[in-house]
Amino acid sequence: MKKAITFTLNNEVIETEVDPKWTLLYLLREVLEMTGTKEGCGYGECGACTVIINGQAVDSCLYPVMEAEGRKITTIEGIMLKSGELDPIQQALVQNGAVQCGFCTPGMVMSAKALLDEKERPTEDDIKDSIAGNLCRCTGYVNIVDAIKSVAGGR
Amino acid sequence: MRSYEYYKPQTMQEAVGLMDRLEDAKFIAGGTDVMVLLRQKKLALKNLISLRNIGDLVYIDKKDGLKIGSATTHTEIVKDEFIKRFYSALNDATTHLGSRQIRNVATVGGNICNAAPSADTACPLLVLDAKVIIVGQKGEREVDIDDFFLGPNKIALERGEIVKGFHMPQFGDNTGSAYIKHTRRQAMDLPMIGIGARITIKIGKSEVRCRDALCTIDTISNVLARLQDEELEIEDARIAMGVVAPRPIRAKQAEAALKGKVVSEKLFREIGEIAATEAQPRDSIRGEAWYRKEMVKVLVRRALMRSIDRVIRPDDTIYPERLW
């Protein structure tokens, strides 16, 4: 039985019909066709599916779609600046060579964004803690941490 | 995945009523355990009842002790400075649980009700003498947390009951607590061993605070050696151990051996040996039994040292991390 839900996705009000057994990730990727958010493990271990819900980074693969009702959700598609430019975090990742295969990148960006929205000047430990739930198997984490640090230091 | 209905009650009574009415139903809070089980097909059911939208289950109340609602997320506990200062073991446990993404949704009630032997918040609640507040059709009842765990994934909850929260007594400046999670990785790992400790020392004429600058930067071993003449007497102590038995347990013989004694590193070393005799770990992919048993000795001593450190040096205290 499909149920109607309403929520805010990237500052746009979305009304859609969902099956209660879906996860938020399934709705995003398979139904709304917003494939920027990735599915890695599906068990909340890798963080590739990270989205921001009401200001907090959350694994969308473990998030029941019914809980999206009335909440404010931001995905990687929603963080581009109004001018069409990349978000400073994305720019910094490019400049620091922090992207190789790119599969973990959307999740990394969302985790970093949640941190930088919450804390003006995060410490290196804060940064490491914020992406502890995002696995990257290509670059190692040094360049990614450097990139996030450069955004935090540059503003 | 099998299809199920998803209910979002707004009050405790509504949730309890739904569970009573619906067949083949389960409560879900943060979902970080339930959603994984569903996906692994280890759990099949017709109805999920969400506890996430019940406002009455989310609270941190600091009057007369500490009261925490069961649907309070780990992130909210981590952020709380009062808990960090007076219920430090709980801060230790929630800070290192899962990832940020997990802590943002996972609830303390869910962690306890899932009742894994490795549940991180179990040891802190055991050493902090928490009472579990349970709500059902017939009203409210209270269970000591030590009587709440029955076995792996088994808890003293009747069908149709939910945990409302955890209430802990008030602790003063003479109490310190700690939780140490022994893992192979620094993040995103379940404990190979988890040890919680709490020490309450007798308030006598002895001065237990740091008096010189050296004390603030020295190791706790040296600080304790210097404070030896003060004879800090232990009024009350708790030790809890995770992953050494089918459920999180208290090391009651070790606790009894601490009572009334004078604090010293040598004593803590002996207590570690006693606690190890109470531990019955088994071999698993995370660690072998003999190693776990050896680590109980080490970690019990460290957890006790950290607890007493937090009594003696509460301010610069807790963090930054010192070498214990």
Side-chain angles (χ1 to χ4, degrees):
Chain A
M1 264 287 281
K2 291 274 179 80
K3 291 255 164 69
I5 62 165
T6 310
F7 63 101
T8 312
L9 180 62
N10 300 332
N11 290 323
E12 210 180 302
V13 176
I14 301 265
E15 283 176 59
T16 183
E17 290 215 320
V18 299
D19 187 322
K21 75 171 179 186
W22 290 351
T23 61
L24 174 61
L25 179 65
Y26 185 91
L27 173 70
L28 291 173
R29 286 185 61 86
E30 309 296 331
V31 182
L32 302 176
E33 297 186 352
M34 296 173 71
T35 52
T37 307
K38 305 300 179 196
E39 172 158 35
C41 63
Y43 295 129
E45 300 271 356
C46 76
C49 63
T50 305
V51 300
I52 298 178
I53 303 179
N54 288 358
Q56 292 192 311
V58 167
D59 289 325
S60 62
C61 71
L62 295 181
Y63 205 81
V65 72
M66 295 295 285
E67 296 290 354
E69 170 85 57
R71 291 193 161 93
K72 200 170 172 291
I73 298 169
T74 309
T75 68
I76 189 75
E77 285 89 351
I79 69 160
M80 192 187 280
L81 302 179
K82 282 212 178 75
S83 57
E85 283 172 60
L86 294 177
D87 184 89
I89 299 168
Q90 292 172 308
Q91 265 164 14
L93 287 169
V94 173
Q95 272 152 20
N96 283 274
V99 179
Q100 272 190 36
C101 88
F103 194 84
C104 72
T105 309
M108 289 282 180
V109 172
M110 298 316 283
S111 288
K113 174 120 180 95
L115 172 74
L116 293 172
D117 286 350
E118 185 189 321
K119 272 196 180 150
E120 186 74 17
R121 303 303 293 259
T123 63
E124 182 160 337
D125 282 345
D126 289 335
I127 293 171
K128 286 183 178 168
D129 180 66
S130 76
I131 59 165
N134 294 81
L135 291 185
C136 168
R137 300 289 81 170
C138 305
T139 66
Y141 300 91
V142 175
N143 291 353
I144 298 171
V145 172
D146 284 348
I148 301 170
K149 226 190 292 181
S150 76
V151 180
R155 60 182 187 185
Chain B
M1 207 188 286
R2 233 173 89 186
S3 208
Y4 50 77
E5 279 302 310
Y6 198 94
Y7 295 87
K8 301 207 299 182
Q10 305 292 315
T11 66
M12 277 184 265
Q13 282 320 311
E14 211 183 316
V16 168
L18 275 169
M19 185 51 108
D20 203 45
R21 185 162 63 78
L22 296 169
E23 251 177 67
D24 203 7
K26 196 174 171 71
F27 288 120
I28 177 171
T32 53
D33 286 313
V34 173
M35 294 299 283
V36 172
L37 290 174
L38 283 170
R39 196 188 159 100
Q40 292 174 330
K41 299 193 166 60
K42 285 182 183 162
L43 191 68
L45 35 72
K46 288 197 188 116
N47 300 293
L48 273 184
I49 303 167
S50 167
L51 301 175
R52 209 190 292 243
N53 303 290
I54 303 175
D56 288 349
L57 292 179
V58 184
Y59 55 87
I60 296 179
D61 179 359
K62 298 156 193 170
K63 276 185 288 246
D64 312 324
L66 178 68
K67 301 183 177 74
I68 297 182
S70 63
T72 307
T73 64
H74 289 80
T75 297
E76 284 162 75
I77 295 172
V78 172
K79 277 188 196 156
D80 197 297
E81 289 295 322
F82 177 81
I83 294 177
K84 193 166 167 178
R85 169 75 177 82
F86 291 101
Y87 299 83
S88 319
L90 197 53
N91 180 275
D92 291 343
T94 45
T95 305
H96 298 290
L97 182 143
S99 62
R100 190 68 205 262
Q101 289 95 316
I102 299 290
R103 292 193 295 273
N104 281 343
V105 289
T107 66
V108 59
N111 192 241
I112 293 299
C113 289
N114 191 45
S118 59
D120 272 317
T121 56
C123 288
L125 292 182
L126 279 166
V127 300
L128 295 168
D129 287 351
K131 295 247 185 291
V132 185
I133 312 299
I134 298 168
V135 174
Q137 290 282 44
K138 290 172 217 140
E140 234 175 80
R141 68 185 177 104
E142 226 179 76
V143 176
D144 202 289
I145 183 107
D146 199 20
D147 301 322
F148 190 67
F149 297 112
L150 302 178
N153 308 106
K154 287 200 184 69
I155 44 171
L157 211 55
E158 305 285 328
R159 194 192 140 77
E161 286 184 325
I162 56 173
V163 172
K164 181 184 168 198
F166 306 94
H167 295 188
M168 284 153 265
Q170 190 162 12
F171 297 112
D173 285 339
N174 59 336
T175 297
S177 65
Y179 173 72
I180 299 179
K181 171 178 177 169
H182 189 52
T183 52
R184 289 174 61 163
R185 289 182 289 164
Q186 282 193 32
M188 291 299 288
D189 207 352
L190 296 176
M192 189 185 307
I193 288 281
I195 302 288
R198 168 170 71 83
I199 288 187
T200 302
I201 59 170
K202 202 162 263 176
I203 312 172
K205 53 185 184 316
S206 50
E207 176 62 61
V208 296
R209 296 276 179 269
C210 277
R211 272 164 300 184
D212 47 44
L214 194 58
C215 172
T216 59
I217 52 163
D218 213 346
T219 61
I220 184 66
S221 288
N222 291 344
V223 173
L224 276 191
R226 257 180 287 144
L227 285 171
Q228 224 163 28
D229 301 337
E230 305 280 356
E231 306 217 321
L232 307 173
E233 196 180 309
I234 299 168
E235 186 180 278
D236 202 8
R238 294 278 183 281
I239 296 169
M241 311 189 282
V243 219
V244 301
R247 45 154 286 188
I249 57 165
R250 269 173 55 191
K252 291 188 181 164
Q253 288 166 28
E255 288 173 5
L258 272 171
K259 216 165 182 176
K261 299 276 172 55
V262 174
V263 170
S264 75
E265 191 168 2
K266 184 168 160 288
L267 171 71
F268 292 163
R269 213 175 282 276
E270 290 161 17
I271 297 298
E273 299 281 337
I274 299 172
T277 62
E278 292 177 76
Q280 283 159 355
R282 50 175 203 179
D283 293 336
S284 84
I285 51 160
R286 284 203 183 75
E288 289 181 40
W290 69 267
Y291 175 72
R292 287 184 158 146
K293 213 154 183 161
E294 285 303 309
M295 284 314 289
V296 167
K297 298 177 191 170
V298 177
L299 296 175
V300 164
R301 176 176 56 84
R302 283 189 197 160
L304 289 168
M305 292 291 266
R306 204 174 283 197
S307 303
I308 196 74
D309 194 349
R310 286 170 175 171
V311 178
I312 299 171
R313 304 188 281 194
D315 303 320
D316 51 313
T317 136
I318 321 194
Y319 335 77
E321 291 274 317
R322 295 194 185 86
L323 290 171
W324 270 280

